[in-house]
Amino acid sequence: MAAESIADMAYQYTLACQTLQSSLRSAGNSSDTNAEKTTALKTFADTLSEMLPEDVTASPQYQYYDAMFDYQAELYSAQTAAERDTALSAFYTAIGEITAEA
């Protein structure tokens, strides 16, 4: 659900940033640090998406941002060249599906 006011959005954003920082610190103690960082980043991105109005998240610009954010998050957990190639392929697929309204 989109934030109803600037004050609410600022509060939600602050909480999301604090949660991200905490999750990234906790990831340092995990057996699979990179995967935990990826999860933290994706959770942060999802939280930001929920805060924004639907017309913003439906825009081609936001869809590109979201695809790039997912790609960067996947790179954190990629440990081989094949996994990095898979992440890049998923990014290309995602941006290929973005359509602009006429």
Side-chain angles (χ1 to χ4, degrees):
M1 174 165 194
E4 298 300 322
S5 69
I6 295 297
D8 183 42
M9 183 178 248
Y11 177 73
Q12 289 180 23
Y13 181 78
T14 300
L15 287 178
C17 288
Q18 290 173 348
T19 301
L20 174 62
Q21 290 174 345
S22 176
S23 296
L24 291 175
R25 279 193 300 272
S26 295
N29 299 326
S30 173
S31 61
D32 192 352
T33 300
N34 293 340
E36 291 296 322
K37 285 182 180 180
T38 298
T39 300
L41 288 170
K42 287 185 176 185
T43 300
F44 179 73
D46 291 344
T47 300
L48 292 183
S49 293
E50 291 171 3
M51 289 172 36
L52 298 171
E54 186 178 337
D55 60 330
V56 172
T57 59
S59 72
Q61 295 87 349
Y62 187 84
Q63 291 175 21
Y64 181 84
Y65 161 80
D66 196 43
M68 178 59 77
F69 198 94
D70 285 346
Y71 169 61
Q72 291 173 337
E74 287 298 323
L75 288 180
Y76 273 116
S77 63
Q79 296 186 14
T80 65
E83 290 172 337
R84 289 188 291 277
D85 288 344
T86 299
L88 185 59
S89 178
F91 172 68
Y92 287 150
T93 299
I95 63 172
E97 294 173 354
I98 296 172
T99 57
E101 294 179 16

